[in-house]
Amino acid sequence: MKDFLRNPPKNLFFTGKGGVGKTTTSAATAIALADSGKQVLLVSTDPASNLDEVLGLALSAEPAAVPGVPGLFALNVDPVEAAAAYREQQVGPYRGILPDAAVRSMEEQLSGACTVEIAAFNEFATLMGNPAAVERFDHIIFDTAPTGHTLRLLSLPAAWSDFIDTTSGGTSCLGPLAGLKEHQLLYATIRQALGDATQTLVVVVSRPETASLAEAARASAELQELGVSNQQLVINGVLTQADPDDVVAVALRERNVTALAAMPDSLTLLTRTELPLRGTELVGIPALRAFFSSERSAPSTITAPQATTLTAPLSELLDQLAGVPGGVIMTMGKGGVGKTTLAVTIATALAGRGKKVYLTTTDPAAHIALMLGNVPDGMRVSRVDPKVETEAYRNEVLATVGNDLDHEGRALLEEDLRSPCTEEIAVFRAFAKVVADGSGGFVVIDTAPTGHTLLLLDAAETYHREVSRSMNEIPEAVRLLLPRLRDPEFTKVFLVTLPEATPVHEALSLQDDLRRAGIEPSGWIINQSLAPLSVTDQVLVQRRAREFRYIDEVVKQGGATFLIPWQNQIQGV
């Protein structure tokens, strides 16, 4: 039995870099505990959740029994639905009492991504901090968003409690403070539970790769700072043995061994579980039940269609991009598909062709510097640092709007700017400034994982209201953001995926969401594919065979598609 399955506490969190297998590991854990006779609730707090697909079950915000697994229930915390419910809870009592214009103003004020965040958080808070809501369950398992957003989620109890404690005004960026104060006891309960090893265990999930392990170490350290010390480590997808005649398998095995040997010291202190790389699809209850077994593979039922035509190499895309004067290039997709690697590769290639390039990231778990190494001539590199941007935003608002206020008015403004919402507004404004830089050359943006990227883009529709509430005028970069994103000559969005079920289906959903926002993707990039390679290792043969159906699914979209073969290390193109 795996260590984290031995007498676990009631609350188990699974976190880590995108694409490391958090959903699979958390779902398999939930099934194992339910099979042992426990009553288990499995919860996804990831806006880009694929728990439905993994379980083969359509989920909602209400617990649903998982067929074939007595005692297991699952739900998705849908941020958009949660925000709509929160908005109506705050505004509903005033309908028919206040003028329609005042009600509309309240609705607008509660339309930003910050409302989405706090509403989703309240759903999570109720599950964890209200014993009456979950008393029938022995365990609650949280499949969380990628690391940076999970850390923010877990820090919110302290952030909102502190803000409520120190604020005397009647409103915030989330409307009346009464709507927050009623949750204050709940937030305090969660703060206590997160730091109590008898109540909470965090399982940090990683791949046996340098960047993934570095991210796991960073997450572990930040969790310690938040007082969450009861942690374990799962390293998922280890190629435990390799066919000596398969050069790809041998290279992959060597990469795993090297990364594990150089693991950050802090991770070596955690109880560790290693899980083997699987050749079979990890979707459905039978596959999840077998997830913790020692078997590497199973007989494959998938045959590779020999007639499949492989798509164009990435070099063709780079040649096309080098032929335009500049603009914004964004890589988007599910966590772990290689957005950061591709952003670095594209930026480096353009700089190598003599172009002026600005490479940046909006991902809280950014590791561009680790990927890039030495910065080429002609390239500028940065990241949107939430702490730096928030401080700059606060100072600017106080120096402009606050300069004309009396002592009481300035004090109220300072209170408002201590709200956790301020960080969201500051990051949004910084994103708008980055996009504006596309007017003077190439801007390559490595974005946060899918769900949070959509919240950021959606904010373009609503944050200008919040910015205008805090500042004398809307900055030009904010005003022009959506038109720039919708201009295919100015902004080119590439959907990045792996040739696997969940990354492809999530990217298809992202494509639909972008189109609803008036943004047409410029193409698809299928990353780390075994399809063009010759492999003989049993696990890799199975993985290669099932890639073709997903490559075909992307090609059928009819857009420009580029394919990158599996590489042992980051390489320029």
Side-chain angles (χ1 to χ4, degrees):
M1 181 178 288
K2 307 306 174 188
D3 286 297
F4 54 87
L5 292 175
R6 300 178 193 274
N7 301 315
K10 180 156 188 169
N11 304 304
L12 289 88
F13 286 84
F14 288 79
T15 189
K17 184 177 180 293
V20 295
K22 296 184 301 295
T23 299
T24 304
T25 309
S26 60
T29 299
I31 291 171
L33 289 173
D35 286 346
S36 72
K38 303 294 186 181
Q39 293 290 307
V40 181
L41 178 62
L42 175 59
V43 180
S44 175
T45 62
D46 188 347
S49 171
N50 65 314
L51 187 58
D52 302 62
E53 184 167 19
V54 169
L55 292 177
L57 179 68
L59 298 175
S60 69
E62 295 298 321
V66 177
V69 190
L72 178 59
F73 295 78
L75 65 84
N76 263 339
V77 175
D78 185 307
V80 176
E81 290 182 7
Y86 178 90
R87 195 159 42 243
E88 185 56 32
Q89 181 186 36
Q90 299 300 314
V91 176
Y94 298 98
R95 296 187 191 281
I97 298 175
L98 295 179
D100 289 346
V103 172
R104 282 195 302 272
S105 176
M106 291 177 67
E107 288 176 329
E108 285 187 359
Q109 188 175 0
L110 293 168
S111 294
C114 193
T115 303
V116 173
E117 178 184 69
I118 193 65
F121 171 71
N122 279 339
E123 297 294 316
F124 150 77
T126 300
L127 289 169
M128 186 173 176
N130 183 356
V134 290
E135 60 185 356
R136 66 185 173 117
F137 296 107
D138 299 303
H139 301 289
I140 309 173
I141 297 175
F142 294 94
D143 168 35
T144 69
T147 318
H149 300 284
T150 298
L151 291 170
R152 177 158 171 77
L153 183 75
L154 296 183
S155 69
L156 281 174
W160 281 110
S161 292
D162 292 345
F163 176 65
I164 294 168
D165 283 339
T166 58
T167 298
S168 59
T171 62
S172 73
C173 54
L174 295 176
L177 274 178
L180 295 176
K181 283 183 178 292
E182 67 186 39
H183 295 295
Q184 190 170 13
L185 179 60
L186 188 62
Y187 296 166
T189 302
I190 296 173
R191 291 178 72 172
Q192 190 273 332
L194 287 172
D196 184 350
T198 66
Q199 296 187 61
T200 301
L201 167 66
V202 175
V203 179
V204 181
V205 186
S206 179
R207 291 278 184 181
E209 299 167 359
T210 301
S212 184
L213 289 165
E215 173 65 13
R218 185 186 74 85
S220 176
E222 293 197 26
L223 287 166
Q224 292 280 0
E225 290 177 8
L226 290 171
V228 183
S229 57
N230 190 19
Q231 302 176 28
Q232 290 193 28
L233 175 66
V234 167
I235 301 178
N236 186 33
V238 179
L239 188 63
T240 53
Q241 60 190 68
D243 181 342
D245 297 323
D246 187 331
V247 294
V248 175
V250 169
L252 179 56
R253 173 63 185 154
E254 288 178 352
R255 186 166 76 178
N256 286 183
V257 170
T258 301
L260 291 173
M263 181 188 305
D265 291 341
S266 60
L267 294 183
T268 64
L269 302 176
L270 301 180
T271 300
R272 183 168 98 200
T273 299
E274 293 187 10
L275 301 171
L277 183 69
R278 306 283 179 176
T280 49
E281 196 98 72
L282 295 172
V283 173
I285 303 302
L288 293 170
R289 275 204 169 103
F291 181 66
F292 292 129
S293 73
S294 56
E295 293 293 323
R296 298 169 69 233
S297 191
S300 178
T301 57
I302 303 173
T303 349
Q306 299 303 312
T308 297
T309 303
L310 297 181
T311 57
L314 186 66
S315 56
E316 287 194 15
L317 171 60
L318 295 174
D319 290 340
Q320 292 174 20
L321 293 174
V324 299
V328 173
I329 300 167
M330 300 177 71
T331 54
M332 290 188 184
K334 178 178 169 60
V337 297
K339 298 184 301 297
T340 301
T341 304
L342 271 169
V344 169
T345 299
I346 291 170
T348 303
L350 291 173
R353 287 164 165 79
K355 303 293 183 179
K356 179 183 175 184
V357 180
Y358 176 22
L359 172 64
T360 190
T361 181
T362 63
D363 191 341
H367 26 261
I368 277 184
L370 183 64
M371 294 275 186
L372 185 60
N374 296 325
V375 179
D377 292 339
M379 185 190 297
R380 181 163 58 106
V381 180
S382 76
R383 67 178 288 252
V384 176
D385 186 313
K387 291 182 180 178
V388 172
E389 297 301 336
T390 302
E391 186 63 22
Y393 176 75
R394 283 194 184 111
N395 291 337
E396 183 175 339
V397 173
L398 288 171
T400 53
V401 177
N403 193 51
D404 297 326
L405 297 177
D406 59 21
H407 178 73
E408 183 178 351
R410 187 176 175 88
L412 288 172
L413 179 61
E414 287 175 345
E415 283 183 356
D416 200 23
L417 291 172
R418 286 199 301 271
S419 159
C421 292
T422 301
E423 180 179 308
E424 298 291 333
I425 299 163
V427 169
F428 164 73
R429 191 182 67 154
F431 173 67
K433 287 180 179 178
V434 167
V435 170
D437 281 346
S439 301
F442 282 100
V443 176
V444 181
I445 305 176
D446 165 40
T447 69
T450 316
H452 297 280
T453 299
L454 288 176
L455 292 182
L456 188 65
L457 293 178
D458 179 63
E461 294 274 22
T462 54
Y463 264 5
H464 69 278
R465 302 186 186 105
E466 183 60 30
V467 172
S468 63
R469 187 175 73 89
S470 300
M471 303 185 73
N472 287 325
E473 59 183 28
I474 300 174
E476 183 182 31
V478 173
R479 185 171 52 81
L480 295 179
L481 177 59
L482 260 186
R484 283 169 169 158
L485 293 177
R486 288 170 172 164
D487 180 358
E489 297 299 317
F490 188 90
T491 300
K492 293 176 172 56
V493 175
F494 292 97
L495 300 173
V496 184
T497 185
L498 300 177
E500 300 172 8
T502 299
V504 167
H505 296 158
E506 185 165 311
L508 287 170
S509 176
L510 171 59
Q511 178 174 253
D512 292 339
D513 287 331
L514 288 170
R515 284 172 172 168
R516 279 194 290 273
I519 301 169
E520 182 63 29
S522 298
W524 288 69
I525 300 173
I526 302 172
N527 197 22
Q528 292 292 83
S529 174
L530 294 170
L533 306 178
S534 175
V535 293
T536 56
D537 183 90
Q538 183 185 18
V539 170
L540 299 192
V541 166
Q542 288 190 340
R543 293 180 73 88
R544 180 183 183 276
R546 58 185 172 86
E547 283 189 4
F548 288 95
R549 61 185 291 192
Y550 301 115
I551 294 173
D552 285 345
E553 202 168 343
V554 171
V555 170
K556 286 176 183 175
Q557 298 305 304
T561 306
F562 307 90
L563 185 137
I564 303 174
W566 183 88
Q567 300 174 79
N568 191 33
Q569 57 186 0
I570 303 169
Q571 299 173 354
V573 181

